[in-house]
Amino acid sequence: MLFYTIRRIFWAIPTLLLIITIAFFLIKIAPGGPFSNERVLPPEIEANLNRTYHLDEPIWKQYLRYLNNIVHGDFGPSFKYKDFTVSELIWGGFPVSAKLGGIAILLATFFGVMLGTLAALRQNSLFDYGTIGFAMVGITIPNFVIAPLLTLIIGLYLKLLPVGGWGDGEFKYWVLPITALALPQIAIIARLTRGSMIEVLRSNYVRTARAKGLPERITILRHTIKAAMIPVCSYLGPAIANIITGSIIIEQVFSIPGIGRYFVQASFNRDYTLVMGVTIFYGVLIILFNLVVDIVYGFLDPKIRYE
């Protein structure tokens, strides 16, 4: 296991380099620049700004300079948030995004697995059909529809909760964004769990366990749920990385100061360094969580070996 983990970390380096290279050149070939939206600047001032941020150098030289800075842990200054570096912006927004996304994915996993398991155990019942219907609706309706609806009904009409902002991080500010984030995830996880559970329940070793008289509760808890969790884990790896780095839509709708909101604003402002910093951060988390998922496979299914 240790050798496998070290090997995966080693192979993560060229993967991350590829992500950085593609993102860097895609940003550079896009039309416009970080100062395009500013009022018309005198040529000498624009030339000074380009020289300050090394934007007047050839692209290959900018690329090598950026790689050298990344190796030394320097993501550079933000072009738009003048008093902050990219690292300060990412680490300032990440706790909010991680708190929001972490709670949402925990709730989604708990309720999704519970609903999917109960639906599989009561296949073709009213509860099963209800779960399938909920899953289909939850998957079909996107976040940018759910979030404004919650804001309109619960926030504006009923006036039960704040419609936006983060305040001092009080509970009342979490409820609507976490609900909007968690609902589609509950639907997806419930559907994955149900399908996987039905397949495992029909497998030979579960039939054998039942034939030997093993109590149904032990058969389900010890032999079925673990095996059924493999597809759910495969989904959760990238999903966790995606959610805890900030939902772009949810943070925009609820005006939450997380990484996702910075990413949107940086894209519109062509804030090269901030876009690159968030992309690299997201790439690292994707690689890390996929590694964790691969390791968890070995605990869920004893047949999986890493030698």
Side-chain angles (χ1 to χ4, degrees):
M1 178 68 75
L2 180 63
F3 178 73
Y4 172 79
T5 305
I6 293 172
R7 191 176 57 188
R8 285 290 302 271
I9 293 173
F10 174 78
W11 279 110
I13 296 172
T15 305
L16 198 57
L17 181 62
L18 187 64
I19 292 171
I20 293 172
T21 305
I22 292 173
F24 183 88
F25 285 101
L26 280 178
I27 290 173
K28 289 295 181 182
I29 62 176
F35 309 115
S36 300
N37 294 333
E38 305 277 356
R39 58 187 174 83
V40 179
L41 297 172
E44 56 274 14
I45 293 180
E46 188 167 354
N48 282 337
L49 284 171
N50 287 333
R51 188 164 48 253
T52 302
Y53 291 108
H54 306 287
L55 297 176
D56 57 342
E57 296 176 347
I59 290 183
W60 65 268
K61 196 171 181 180
Q62 293 180 43
Y63 172 69
L64 293 179
R65 182 188 295 279
Y66 188 75
L67 282 184
N68 181 57
N69 291 340
I70 290 296
V71 169
H72 292 88
D74 180 12
F75 286 86
S78 168
F79 289 129
K80 291 297 176 184
Y81 302 94
K82 305 293 185 187
D83 298 329
F84 297 94
T85 64
V86 171
S87 299
E88 288 172 340
L89 290 172
I90 289 176
W91 290 115
F94 181 64
V96 175
S97 295
K99 189 175 186 178
L100 193 70
I103 295 173
I105 201 69
L106 281 176
L107 290 174
T109 305
F110 175 77
F111 287 109
V113 169
M114 184 180 68
L115 286 175
T117 302
L118 292 176
L121 294 175
R122 301 173 186 178
Q123 193 181 2
N124 298 325
S125 67
L126 190 61
F127 182 83
D128 184 27
Y129 293 139
T131 303
I132 295 173
F134 166 75
M136 292 306 297
V137 171
I139 293 170
T140 307
I141 301 179
N143 275 335
F144 60 81
V145 175
I146 295 175
L149 277 177
L150 289 174
T151 303
L152 188 67
I153 296 171
I154 299 178
L156 288 179
Y157 291 163
L158 301 179
K159 299 186 184 306
L160 295 176
L161 293 166
V163 296
W166 189 246
D168 293 325
E170 299 105 315
F171 176 75
K172 62 182 179 182
Y173 290 98
W174 306 358
V175 180
L176 291 185
I178 285 177
T179 305
L181 261 181
L183 280 177
Q185 301 300 326
I186 292 174
I188 294 170
I189 293 171
R191 188 166 174 78
L192 281 173
T193 304
R194 178 188 176 276
S196 182
M197 278 288 290
I198 289 173
E199 188 178 342
V200 175
L201 284 169
R202 292 173 179 169
S203 60
N204 290 333
Y205 71 90
V206 173
R207 286 199 193 100
T208 303
R210 283 172 168 165
K212 287 184 175 179
L214 203 65
E216 186 69 7
R217 182 175 58 83
I218 295 178
T219 304
I220 299 298
L221 293 178
R222 188 178 297 173
H223 300 291
T224 309
I225 288 184
K226 277 178 65 177
M229 286 300 100
I230 291 178
V232 178
C233 277
S234 300
Y235 171 75
L236 283 178
I240 292 174
N242 186 36
I243 289 180
I244 68 171
T245 49
S247 168
I248 293 170
I249 295 169
I250 297 300
E251 291 185 1
Q252 276 294 111
V253 171
F254 291 100
S255 302
I256 295 171
I259 294 180
R261 195 174 176 213
Y262 281 138
F263 188 71
V264 173
Q265 291 172 350
S267 302
F268 283 124
N269 293 330
R270 292 182 174 81
D271 192 342
Y272 293 154
T273 48
L274 185 53
V275 172
M276 283 298 301
V278 176
T279 303
I280 294 168
F281 189 69
Y282 180 66
V284 169
L285 288 182
I286 284 279
I287 292 170
L288 180 65
F289 281 109
N290 276 318
L291 172 61
V292 172
V293 165
D294 285 346
I295 292 172
V296 170
Y297 282 160
F299 294 100
L300 294 176
D301 188 350
K303 291 182 291 186
I304 297 176
R305 292 285 182 269
Y306 296 103
E307 289 82 5

